[in-house]
Amino acid sequence: MKESTGNGPLILDIEDFKGDFSFDGLFGNLVNELLPSYQDDDTDAHHDGHGNIGANDVLPNGTLRISSEATKVAQGLSMPLFPEVDSLLTLFKDSCKELIDLRQQVDGRLSSLRKEVSQQDAKHRKTLAELEKGVDGLFDSFARLDSRISSVGQTAAKIGDHLQSADAQRETASQTIDLIKYLMEFNSTPGDLMELSPLFSDDSRVAEAASIAQKLRQFAEEDIGRQGIGVQSTTGNATASRGLEVAVANLQEYCNELENRLLQRFDTASQRRELSTMAECAKILSQFNRGSSAMQHYVATRPMFIDVEIMNADNRLVLGEQGSQANPSNVARGLSSLYKEIADTVRKESATIMAVFPSPNEVMAILVQRVLEQRVTALLDKLLQKPSLLHPPPLEEGGLLVYLRMLAVAYEKTQELARDLRAVGCGDLDVEGLTESLFSAHKEDYHEHEQASLRQLYQAKMEELRAESLAELGGSGSIGRSKGASIASNHQQISVAVVTELVRWNEEAVSRCNIFSSQPSVLAANVRAVFTCVLDQVSQYLTEGLERAREGLTEAAALRERFVLGTNISRRVAAAAASAAEAAAAAGESSFRSFMVAVQRCASSVALVQQYFANSISRLLLPVDGAHAASCEEMATAMSKAESAAHKGLQQCIDTVMAEVERLLSAEQKATDYRSPDDGIIPDHRATSACTRVVTYLSRVLESAFTALEGLNKQAFLTEMGNRLHKLLLSHWQKFTFNPSGGLRLKRDITEYGEFVRSFNAPSIDEKFEVLGILANVFIVAPESLSTLFEGSPSIRKDAQRFIQLRDDYKSAKLAAKLSSLWPSLG
């Protein structure tokens, strides 16, 4: 904004309207411009207190600040508040005119700019169109150029192929000429190699000479083959064949000489560890029979195959010093050390072979095969000497078991060596199959040796037990026959420890079956054959043990029968017989306990075998159909022999107990026990002494049966014992006559017997003794009450009638007639 001079108009510039424009600010500036002139005109009035407005009375926002004094003055005067209004209006009008002029100027400039922009845009669009046309043309040119280049390139490639083919033909022709020249040299004179080209004698061109010689020999041999196929028809053909045969012979001789020279150079470099020279020779030798001579020669010259001291050291390490007995554990340690040394040696050789030979895998296969077939086989032949089954080595020298343990150790360690060699590398060699073949002679009849070994161990164990028994018997001195039988039985008792040892031997044999049998069918067959051995051995051992225990029962029975005397004997003889009977009873009781111990140990042994079958054998047989069922059947058959012996012995035990019960009843039971002369006096409610003795004896002797027997065996034995006791008591009481007081004592005896047999846990036996208690009432009631005694139990009337006949008043009371009238069906 330009300042006006004097009272002239205020001139505004377009710049005043740029930026942040505000009318408040504009008018504020205008006021500030105008106030100085106004102040100059009224200075005196302001200072003399006439109330004129000063500059300080104008607020910054354009409003006036009027004091109260000025207000009073204004009220007294008629002067206007803004005397410069007219000048301001003029200024405003000029400003509006200026603004209109400025707007017109801006509009004009905008219009000209629009025209200029439009012109420039049209020119730009035209330029872009021209550029697009130029680019399209350029692309077309590039496409034509690329097509031309491609065409030229194809033509050049064809020319290059023709040139390359022509060069190859030229090179082939040149080589063919050279080969024909060399062939003519070899075909000149048989056995004459002195006139050959320098190529064939130059050591620096050995590789080239070897290659040419191989090509010539191959060509000559093929030509001879073609001539032979063409049926030697013409003389010319035959002559040609003979000529090439000379070349073939000379070439073969030269190749052999060259191969020998290379092998000699190879050996010299090998001794000096010059790997580069060895590799060069091996590469050239690979042209002769695929390098097999070099490979075989290298492997054969390894120290481990030709040094006798190394082989002797192998034997000492594994077998120990000469003359010493080899131990499986020592052999295992020795084999581990030796096989580790062999694997390390092969690993070192592998590094050399990889650096020297063009086909290292083939060399490694030859090396590993030589290790197994020579070094390992030589050791195994000395370690494993297959024993004869007809004349096995004695147990003092280890027997068959040492051979089998050695075989298992050698097989496992050699398998580990095979895995180590496979890890080192052995090419396409089937190292596992080769290892198996080393043991094929030992594995073909392996299970027969296992069975023979188990039989040998069993026989030795039985001889040891018999020797111990005879030694103990011999050391005990002279003894009585009855005691001797008992002691012999005790000394030959069944031992669970022996069965455990038999199972342990068998378990060891089965573990070896796992080692040698990789296929499930072969494993199942071997395991079944080995398990059958322990079944037969345990069955035989238990059966013989039970039979020995039965011998004591048999001898006790013979002792009892020996002292059965008639009735007309003297008192001294009767006393001696009674003493002998007591001894026989003691022997019977001792034999009973011994047999029960044998039965208990037999049951424990059978359970041990069954557990061994379930834990170790069953899972090995399940993969083969029928094998498990067949073994179960074999086990049942084998154990049935022992069960049969046990059943016979238990029957003898019952006979022994019943014989002693019968003896006690005969000796202790008196006629007055059941027919007291004091009938009618205070009855005796105690059991008879015979009953007490019998129950005491049964309780004592059957204690071992309760401990030894279990399950169904125990139930069957006690049930049979209860039936026999019931039958014996009925037969025994038929010998006596009963009065009422005797009937009461009989009832007391029956109660004692009943309480004892209740421990059998046999309901049928309990019922029988309860019936006996009911039958005993026939001796207690009056004759006239007998008819009503069994009204509720008609099934026992027949037994009741036999008991009634034992009443002491049976005849006097004429009970027979009464009973026949009351129970006509029993008549």
Side-chain angles (χ1 to χ4, degrees), residues 672 675-683 739 741:
T672 55
R675 192 179 180 187
S676 173
D678 300 329
D679 191 25
I681 309 177
I682 298 175
N739 58 16
S741 60

Side-chain angles (χ1 to χ4, degrees), residues 36 112 147 159 264 287 329 375 469 508 519 604 647 676 704 711:
S112 62
S147 175
I159 294 172
Q264 189 174 7
Q287 302 179 36
S329 59
R375 192 171 181 185
S469 178
E508 180 183 343
Q519 298 180 353
S604 300
H647 181 267
S676 173
S704 58

